[in-house]
């Protein structure tokens, strides 16, 4: 038979099926498609799905959700972490079409339907051979009855209708159409979507000035971090640090004796990517640290920076893996006129690349063997796109619970493509978005269908490389408001240690004119801090992280709606859980210097109340409770509390 | 080398390249894409295009239109009518990358660039073998200079830069990526986009009551139709009409002697799809009619209704092409409880379908041989989707100037898919869209990117099957306002004869409860009209069609912007030519009974003037001229003129 059936507009689907769709394990994947055929015949549509590693598909009937738009819908379960694949099949159900035609005739009281009944008999006979003994008997009985000259139309119809399910099962799918390509879905574990990250340097967790902490000593910080309510502990690289051209304090070209060097200049005589810096301890100490963190409910995120110091073992073992100068020497990293003589970039296009790529794969598996399940990847946009697609697939096919965070601060197309290629999460522009207009526009972009199916943002308030001037100028209130924004606008967010102390000593950026960076950057020296210094916001952080845990409305990205409030310095938005049992209304003063006030408009449907009905707005930060309705006065003093995080409640807590 | 380069978000592109994009011959096809690579190397991007029947591609360099978004752009010419194909190729330009690096070093005053220069020399040597004698000499000279120990950086840079174009030509495209699939573009002749259609029954063009006109007699109508300013003359089927179960007046089941029958019940002893109804004349008469129309500047649109009367020759010659009942008789069309005994549907799935499909192809080629270049296809949605894709491709591969109009009044997905499969134009829901909200929503949908790349609407004010109640109730003013809407909202529009006389005698629809249709439907009887009866709107039609011809703003669909006017009974919108030298502002009173007034807001950029600047609004219907600015009072009395069609002008005409 010729193709009568069209299958179109399948969702979810990224770039026509070129890239997998991202979802979370434990949920059901909802699939919709436009399916129709010419003429009036009845069609059947099924969703065919499988685990990516299974050969056979399972089938779920799709239901017609909107007849006027030929829109069909079904969902399939994703019980396990890992990759799934689905497609859609549709065919003409000749028996159902005939039955529908017969029904109309009987309802219209047509007397002579003999010819139509004989057509039905022919359809029954057609499937005889495919039926078991019992079914065959049913078919034969029905055929005899329909063929008899004196069968009353109504009773003929009832006889025929009784066979619908049987016939649906037995009929061949003569004109079946199966959509190609099948669409892949990555079901990640929930941590891929939501989590609070804390970034630190192991060596800076000690208490003796000038002396770096070991992994064992750094374990003492873990309770403090746990108490602030974080989920993920991200460690700057713990590998041996090179000595040749080691950078000194504040990124100076010459290191003084005792300068520890940048953890991102990886490799020394003590080893490379699969070794631990001796001053931090041994691999056993690392294992012990991972276990201590795990016991405190903290998961380790491990830094993957694929570049070597001149002292990295590979330089001798695999010179072919680096770029060479005409004189045969190895090229260090440069971005003229800047030189990074302490770093050799890897040549991913080397003729020996099979060995290089597989060695990198081995190294990740090595750390997975030591309890690492999250990799934060440094500058992925300077390595080949195809390399990442290959590596992430290789790793996740064996360890589907492993997550990758892309640290690609670059142009939007590259960031989006890295996410599509497989990165579980991505760094974002949040750090540079401060005004109401900037935040509204950016979050609107991030929550568009294509973005939310592939790109999971992780909002960092700061990093060792990024100290926003907003924090320097705004001080403590600014640190609190940026924390609230990061922690409530994105289900994943992070901070770099020192944020809780509102650290903001700055110097002009060595690379970006007009920009600033941390003075005494921790990348080049050991820091010793008083983690309980006055003015710290640790309790505030703990409060916000507790609110995040208790409120599922904050565990998803796209369930976001900005609310009207006529004041450019105030940002207000609503968040809700899928079942709407948990609804939050958040208002933030974006100005760290002055109090601001305004009237926020909360549409009744957003609060889940009847138009005009009042509700209780329970501030989860201060525990105050306000009677609210559609229009509510808000005043936020940055020196008191810069934000409301209000939960919609019906009865006083 | 590994894949470093990504090519994404190509426009235009329909469903990932599954369907061709529709464009117009004589214009340039503008192509955009997001193209980028990892790292800092320079990439080159070219647009590769060809005529579909050519093997070889031509190449046009794409330019970086937006560096921040990696957006590249180029256009290619479509000089001929027919199908084109394009794709995009991108690769890394190693020499340009090296040159850019060198420039930075020289600008930064780096003294020791010897090693970098030797890298350049290596690049020059690499292409030696690909160069002609002269170029080879240039390369050798430059290599010698760059390799010499004492070359000053600035002069080295100049030497190297001078070879950019040569190197671009000579370098191999090592890591070239070519986007797949290539994207097809159909360049139709301009009539596919814009034209005014007039539909009529040949037999009703006479002046003797009860006597049908012949083709020769009908030629007398041609000047009248030309004077109204139409471009296309669409004829109801001219084939022999069946006698068996012929329908009588008002679709009655029994025809009286002398009843001519429905032209859509095709075939008699006098012939079938390739024959002319004897009472209309001969094939020579048809040729003569086509020529007479052509001489008057009118092109014929020919009706293709693929269904047979019981008397069609195929019934005897090809019984296998029809559906059979169990008793062996042929099935007539039914939609229980309704029966259409005067029509036998064709079985496109017949085992003998190759013969059927090719015969239909032959028939279209036959009429093309008789001067037909436009086919209006009756109910395409009741035939297989694949049949149309095959047929239209077959015909257009030989006759690219042939156009197809789909008469598919059905659900949106089928209508959109038929357009994607190849129909040049489509009937629409315009006939049922009357309110400001309905018209705004529908035109907004039609002008979305995917729609405007594939679906070309043809707005019919009425058809032999559709008499909108709005016209019955609203009378003459309603006929005028619906004409203005159809003729100015869509570049293609049509009317069925009688509209110019404001005919609206109606009867309840025999098939659709609550709906109405024409009383004494012309489908079942011969009509004789006084084409100059009092109250006709022929002059108004002629005026509107003249305005359409003279104003390119009305020759495109998507150059439409609705204007704010605070009155639900007034619709206002702007249209403009691509070069903005022709700008129209149209205001229509949607209420045929009462005058309405309001203030229309014309943003300065829409009128092409400076903010606050005034302009002249020249009413092309009444020739009145008004001084207009951003806010203008409008009052429209349906009994005077129901609409303004204003041209923005700078000086009084």
């Amino acid at each position: 038979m010729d193709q009568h059936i069209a299958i179109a507009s399948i969702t979810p689907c990224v770039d026509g099926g070129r890239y997998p769709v991202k979802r979370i394990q434990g949920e059901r994947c909802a699939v919709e498609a436009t399916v129709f055929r010419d003429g009036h015949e009845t069609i059947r549509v099924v969703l065919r799905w499988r685990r990516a590693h299974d050969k056979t598909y399972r089938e779920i009937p799709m239901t017609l959700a909107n007849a006027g738009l030929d829109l069909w819908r079904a969902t399939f379960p994703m019980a396990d972490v890992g990759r799934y694949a689905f497609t859609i099949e549709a065919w003409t159900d000749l028996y159902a079409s005939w039955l529908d035609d017969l029904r109309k005739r009987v309802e219209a009281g047509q007397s002579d339907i003999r010819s139509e009944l004989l057509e039905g008999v022919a359809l029954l006979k057609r499937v005889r051979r495919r039926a078991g003994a019992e079914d065959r008997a049913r078919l034969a009985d029905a055929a005899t009855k329909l063929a008899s000259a004196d069968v009353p139309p109504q009773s003929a119809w009832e006889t025929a209708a009784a066979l619908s399910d049987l016939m649906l099962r037995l009929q061949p799918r003569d004109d079946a159409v199966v959509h190609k390509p099948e669409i892949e879905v990555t079901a990640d574990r929930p941590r891929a979507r939501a989590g609070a990250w804390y970034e630190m340097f192991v060596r800076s967790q000690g208490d003796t000035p000038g002396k770096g902490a070991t992994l064992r000593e750094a374990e003492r910080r873990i309770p403090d971090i746990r108490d602030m309510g974080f989920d993920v502990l991200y460690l700057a690289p713990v590998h041996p640090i090179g000595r040749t051209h080691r950078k000194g304090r504040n990124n100076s070209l010459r290191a003084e004796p005792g300068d520890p060097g940048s953890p991102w200049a990886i490799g020394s005589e003590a080893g490379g990517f699969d070794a631990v810096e001796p001053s931090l301890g041994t691999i056993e100490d690392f294992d012990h640290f991972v276990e201590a963190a795990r016991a405190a409910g903290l998961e380790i995120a491990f830094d993957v920076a694929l570049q070597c110091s001149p002292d990295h073992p590979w330089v001798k073992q695999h010179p072919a893996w680096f770029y060479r100068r005409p004189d045969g020497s190895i090229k260090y990293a440069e971005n003229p006129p800047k030189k990074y003589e302490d770093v050799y970039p890897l040549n991913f296009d080397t003729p020996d690349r099979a060995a290089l790529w597989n060695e990198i794969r081995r190294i990740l598996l090595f750390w997975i063997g030591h309890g690492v399940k999250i990799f934060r990847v440094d500058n992925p946009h300077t390595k080949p796109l195809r390399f990442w697609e290959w590596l992430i697939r290789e790793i996740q096919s064996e360890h589907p619970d492993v997550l990758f965070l892309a640290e690609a601060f670059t142009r939007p197309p590259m960031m989006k493509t890295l996410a599509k290629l497989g990165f579980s999460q991505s760094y974002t522009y949040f750090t540079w978005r401060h005004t109401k207009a900037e935040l509204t526009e950016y979050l609107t972009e991030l929550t568009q269908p294509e973005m939310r199916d592939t790109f999971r943002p992780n909002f960092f308030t700061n990093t060792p490389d990024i100290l926003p001037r907003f924090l320097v100028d705004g001080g403590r209130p600014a640190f609190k408001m940026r924390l609230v924004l990061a922690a409530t606008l994105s289900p994943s967010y992070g901070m770099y240690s020192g944020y809780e102390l509102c650290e903001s000593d700055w110097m002009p950026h060595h690379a970006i004119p007009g920009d600033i960076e941390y003075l005494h950057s921790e990348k080049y020296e050991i820091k010793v801090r008083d983690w309980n210094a006055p003015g710290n916001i640790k309790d505030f952080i703990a409060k916000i992280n507790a609110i995040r845990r208790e409120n599922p409305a904050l565990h998803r990205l796209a369930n976001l709606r900005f609310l009207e409030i006529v004041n450019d310095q105030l940002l207000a938005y609503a968040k809700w859980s899928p079942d709407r049992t948990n609804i939050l209304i958040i208002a933030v003063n974006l100005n760290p210097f002055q109090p601001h006030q305004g009237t926020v408009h909360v549409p009744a449907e957003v609060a889940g109340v009847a138009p005009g009905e009042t509700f209780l707005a329970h501030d989860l930060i201060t525990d105050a409770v306000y009677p609210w309705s559609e229009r509510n006065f808000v005043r936020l003093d940055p020196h008191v509390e810069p934000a409301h995080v209000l939960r919609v409640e019906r009865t006083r807590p």
Side-chain angles (χ1 to χ4, degrees), chain A:
Chain A
M1 276 176 82
D2 294 285
Q3 184 176 314
H4 293 272
I5 296 173
I7 302 175
S9 308
I10 298 180
T11 59
C13 179
V14 179
D15 293 358
R18 164 69 179 86
Y19 301 106
V21 177
K22 289 194 173 79
R23 290 290 184 267
I24 294 298
Q25 168 268 334
E27 302 179 347
R28 296 184 70 89
C29 183
V31 177
E32 288 189 347
T34 303
V35 190
F36 60 95
R37 68 154 284 164
D38 53 83
H40 305 291
E41 288 75 5
T42 302
I43 59 171
R44 300 285 180 175
V45 186
V46 293
L47 174 64
R48 310 184 64 209
W49 66 279
R50 60 183 177 92
R51 289 295 315 273
H53 54 61
D54 294 341
K55 294 263 170 307
T56 60
Y57 286 89
R58 272 169 277 192
E59 237 177 50
I60 296 178
M62 298 188 79
T63 56
L64 188 56
N66 182 326
L69 295 177
D70 298 303
L71 183 68
W72 296 73
R73 183 177 294 148
T75 70
F76 69 88
M78 299 175 295
D80 310 321
V81 170
R83 291 176 189 266
Y84 290 76
F86 75 84
T87 186
I88 290 172
E89 178 177 4
W91 67 95
T92 306
D93 184 337
L94 295 178
Y95 190 76
S97 307
W98 169 81
L99 198 59
D100 186 53
D101 176 274
L102 181 67
R103 180 183 52 73
K104 290 178 186 156
R105 294 173 189 276
V106 173
E107 285 174 356
Q110 281 187 16
S111 51
D112 177 12
I113 56 171
R114 176 141 187 70
S115 177
E116 285 68 30
L117 291 180
L118 291 177
E119 288 176 340
V121 171
L123 290 171
L124 297 180
K125 292 200 165 134
R126 186 159 157 270
V127 301
R128 251 184 117 277
R129 243 185 278 81
R130 307 165 63 99
E134 191 182 322
D135 291 335
R136 200 173 300 190
R138 284 183 63 197
L139 294 169
D141 294 348
T144 313
K145 181 162 184 187
L146 297 182
S148 67
D150 56 357
V151 57
Q154 180 61 28
S155 125
W157 147 254
E158 283 159 12
T159 303
L163 296 176
S164 297
D165 294 351
L166 177 61
M167 287 301 285
L168 176 58
R169 210 166 63 243
L170 293 178
Q171 286 184 113
R173 301 179 179 181
D174 297 318
D175 64 342
V177 177
V178 179
H179 177 81
K180 288 195 188 59
E182 64 175 7
I183 293 154
E184 201 174 38
V185 180
T186 306
D188 289 313
R189 58 192 173 105
R191 181 64 66 223
R193 183 162 63 194
W197 292 47
Y198 185 83
E199 172 178 5
M200 75 177 197
F201 290 64
V202 170
R203 69 190 183 192
S204 294
Q205 307 311 314
D207 41 28
T208 317
K211 183 177 169 307
T214 64
L215 280 155
R216 286 303 187 104
E217 291 163 343
E219 285 183 20
R220 302 199 202 107
R221 259 324 292 299
I222 291 177
D224 192 30
I225 297 161
R226 175 202 59 207
D227 294 345
M228 281 189 282
F230 288 97
D231 307 299
V232 178
L233 177 51
Y234 157 40
L235 306 178
V238 296
H239 305 301
I241 298 172
R243 305 196 170 283
T244 306
H245 296 295
R246 174 178 288 188
K247 291 288 178 70
R249 291 159 183 260
N250 291 318
N251 200 21
S252 61
L253 289 179
R254 281 191 63 264
E256 303 299 328
D259 285 349
S262 164
W264 283 273
I266 295 171
S268 76
E269 68 290 345
F273 294 116
D274 54 3
V276 173
E277 161 67 32
S279 63
L280 297 178
T282 65
I283 187 69
E284 291 71 24
D285 295 329
F286 180 82
D287 296 340
H288 197 276
F289 186 94
V290 171
E291 176 51 27
R294 196 200 56 69
L298 285 164
E299 184 174 359
I300 298 301
F302 195 84
D303 197 293
V304 176
L306 296 174
Q307 57 193 24
C308 299
S309 94
D311 310 314
H312 192 288
W314 286 0
V315 176
K316 288 197 183 58
Q317 295 164 8
H318 304 285
W321 293 357
F322 301 89
Y323 294 96
R324 318 301 293 267
R325 318 178 81 204
D327 65 7
S329 64
I330 293 180
K331 291 183 88 169
Y332 49 78
E334 284 188 274
N335 185 9
K338 293 199 306 300
K339 305 181 175 194
Y340 307 97
E341 290 158 297
D342 60 335
V343 171
Y344 288 170
L346 289 162
N347 177 5
F348 285 84
D349 299 324
T350 169
D352 190 32
R353 74 175 165 289
L356 169 61
W357 292 25
N358 282 309
E359 173 63 2
I360 294 170
R361 175 176 168 283
R362 184 193 68 78
I363 287 162
L364 264 54
L365 291 172
F366 171 84
W367 290 108
I368 290 169
H370 287 276
V372 172
K373 296 286 183 152
I374 302 179
F375 293 102
R376 176 271 194 192
V377 178
D378 194 76
N379 286 328
H381 56 294
T382 59
K383 289 85 181 173
L385 294 164
R386 185 192 281 169
F387 166 74
W388 295 119
E389 189 167 29
W390 170 84
L391 181 68
I392 295 173
R393 227 166 234 286
E394 281 286 313
I395 297 297
Q396 290 186 335
S397 62
E398 285 179 62
H399 302 278
D401 56 341
V402 169
L403 305 178
F404 292 83
L405 166 61
E407 187 237 17
F409 291 115
T410 180
R411 300 189 297 281
M414 172 60 84
M415 292 175 70
K416 293 177 185 177
T417 301
L418 287 168
K420 290 176 178 179
L421 289 174
F423 278 93
S424 323
Q425 293 189 358
S426 310
Y427 277 72
T428 72
Y429 299 143
F430 170 75
T431 329
W432 297 277
R433 299 291 181 269
H434 293 96
T435 68
K436 185 175 189 171
E438 288 169 349
L439 288 163
T440 306
E441 184 193 15
Y442 191 46
L443 267 298
T444 301
E445 180 193 340
L446 290 177
T447 49
Q448 295 308 308
E450 181 185 301
M451 285 296 272
R452 67 184 191 226
D453 281 345
T454 55
F455 188 98
R456 297 199 191 101
N458 192 329
F459 282 5
F460 267 73
T461 56
N462 64 322
T463 79
D465 297 308
I466 307 171
L467 168 61
R469 185 176 293 275
F470 182 85
L471 297 175
V472 175
D473 301 338
R476 196 165 180 278
F479 279 80
K480 289 173 74 175
M481 56 184 63
R482 291 295 293 176
L483 169 70
V484 171
L485 290 170
T488 60
L489 281 172
S490 174
S492 292
Y493 89 103
M495 68 173 55
Y496 152 58
S497 59
Y499 191 92
E500 64 269 54
L501 305 180
C502 305
E503 282 181 358
S504 61
D505 293 342
W506 65 280
M507 63 184 280
H509 199 293
H510 75 288
I512 307 165
D515 200 355
I516 65 174
E517 62 185 320
Y518 281 100
L519 180 66
H520 308 310
S521 169
E522 199 168 353
K523 287 161 68 179
Y524 310 105
E525 61 191 82
I526 293 161
K527 282 202 179 300
V528 173
R529 302 178 172 92
D530 170 5
W531 295 107
N532 297 307
N536 76 72
I537 57 170
K538 287 164 71 176
D539 292 346
F540 189 77
I541 293 168
K543 170 79 72 176
I544 295 299
N545 281 334
I547 291 171
R548 281 173 48 89
R549 290 212 176 161
E550 294 155 12
N551 293 276
L554 297 176
H555 300 170
R556 287 164 181 258
L557 174 72
N559 54 346
L560 169 71
R561 176 163 164 183
F562 288 100
L563 302 176
E564 175 200 329
I565 180 166
V566 191
N567 182 329
D568 284 349
Q569 299 295 309
L570 294 177
L571 184 69
Y573 45 96
K575 300 279 296 180
W576 55 88
S577 59
D579 63 4
R580 293 209 161 250
T581 56
N582 181 240
I583 302 173
L584 299 184
I585 297 164
I586 295 142
V588 184
N589 179 351
L590 301 177
N591 180 324
F593 306 108
Q594 295 153 351
H596 274 275
Q597 61 189 49
T599 299
V600 58
H601 178 214
V602 183
E605 72 272 15
V606 169
V609 298
E613 188 186 346
T614 63
F615 57 91
L616 298 174
H618 177 192
D619 191 326
L620 302 176
I621 297 177
T622 63
D623 213 37
V625 177
Y626 312 95
W628 268 31
S629 59
E630 294 211 1
R631 302 200 168 274
N632 311 282
F633 176 78
V634 166
R635 183 176 190 281
L636 291 166
D637 181 342
H639 298 289
V640 183
E641 283 303 348
H644 283 311
V645 177
L646 305 159
R647 181 161 60 204
V648 173
E649 293 172 2
R650 301 319 187 81
T651 56
R652 298 202 164 269

